Amino acid sequence: MTGARIVGVRSVDGTRLHTEIHGPDDAPTIVLAHGILCSTLFWRNQIRDLSEDFRVVAYDHRGHGRSAAPRAGSYELDHLADDLQAVLAATVPDGQRAVVAGHSMGGIAVMSWAQKYRADTTTRVSAVALVNTTPGDILDHVRFLRGPERTLALRRRLAQLVVPAARVPLPRRLPLRRQLLAHVAVGAAADPSIGHEVDAILAATSARGRGGYGALLVNMRADIDPAHVPVPAVVIAGRHDRIAPPARSQAIAARLQHPLGLHELDSGHCGPLERPDEVTAVLRNLLEENR
C-alpha cells in the first residue's frame, strides 16, 4: 500500500514488528491483525477504503510479512498477545481507544490479548471485530481434516508430524499448491485471482513463521474464552469456511460479554478478500458507533 507511515515497534522480547499507519492522524483508529501465513496485504481493501475517513493501523505478526522472524519457541499465545499490546502502545494516542479487528489467527491474538492484558483492555480498546476465527481446539473443527472421533488422536499425531515440514523453504513452483490452497481457504464462488493472491502472500511468509505458528495451532487443545473480551464485539463468519466453520463463530458470539451480532457472509475463510465491501461496512459501522 502506498502512502503508509511506518512505525518502529518492538515487542516485549525485542522482536521487530512491521507496523503501518494509513489515513488522517486526527481520526479514530482501527488496528488490523491478519491471520496465519498472511501479511498486511491481506487487509488491502479495508485499508484503502477505511483510510479515507479513519486512522488505520496494520501490522505483520512475527515471522510474517516484513516483521522479524525469531527462533523456534517464540511463537506462542503469549507472543501473539504481547505483540498486539506493543502495537497498541506504539500507535494509539494517549487517552484514546482503538477498534481492533482480527482475522483467523489475528482473532486468536485479540482474544489472547484480552485474557492476558485484562487491566488494559477497556482503556486501550473500545470495540472488537473477530473475523473468520475460532476460540481454539482447532484440529477437530477444520472441515477438510474431520473424521470419526475415534481417529482424532491419530489425526493429531499425523498433523504434529507434518508441521515441522512447514519450516522448510517453499519451492518457487509447487504443483497443485495454488489449487489446494484455493480449495481449502477460499470459497468456491470467489474470483480465481483471490486464490492467486493468497498463494503469493503465503509464499512470502518465513519458514520460521509457518512452522512456529503452525505448531501452535495444531497443538491448541483448549479454547480461549471469548468472555475475556470486555468491550462490544462483532463476529464475522464465512458460510463456506473450511478452516474456521460458522459453528466456531457461533460459539464465540454466544460467549461474548457484549455481543453486537454475528454476520455470516457468502465466503470461505478469506472474508476480507472475498467479500471486501461487506467486511468493510461492518468495520466502518463498528468504528462510527464506538468513536
Side-chain angles (χ1 to χ4, degrees), residues 9 40 62 88 93 98 147 169 190 204 208:
V9 177
T40 58
R62 60 180 58 207
L88 290 168
R208 285 181 179 174

Side-chain angles (χ1 to χ4, degrees), residues 20-23 28-30 32 46-47 50-51 54-58:
E20 307 170 359
I21 299 179
H22 304 258
T29 299
I30 182 169
L32 304 175
Q46 288 69 42
I47 292 172
L50 291 175
S51 62
F54 301 99
R55 186 170 175 268
V56 181
V57 176

Side-chain angles (χ1 to χ4, degrees), residues 16-53:
R16 179 186 55 79
L17 303 173
H18 174 79
T19 306
E20 307 170 359
I21 299 179
H22 304 258
D25 283 330
D26 58 350
T29 299
I30 182 169
V31 176
L32 304 175
H34 64 76
I36 190 170
L37 307 182
C38 290
S39 72
T40 58
L41 290 173
F42 183 83
W43 294 107
R44 63 177 178 80
N45 296 297
Q46 288 69 42
I47 292 172
R48 181 195 63 219
D49 295 341
L50 291 175
S51 62
E52 294 180 3
D53 305 297

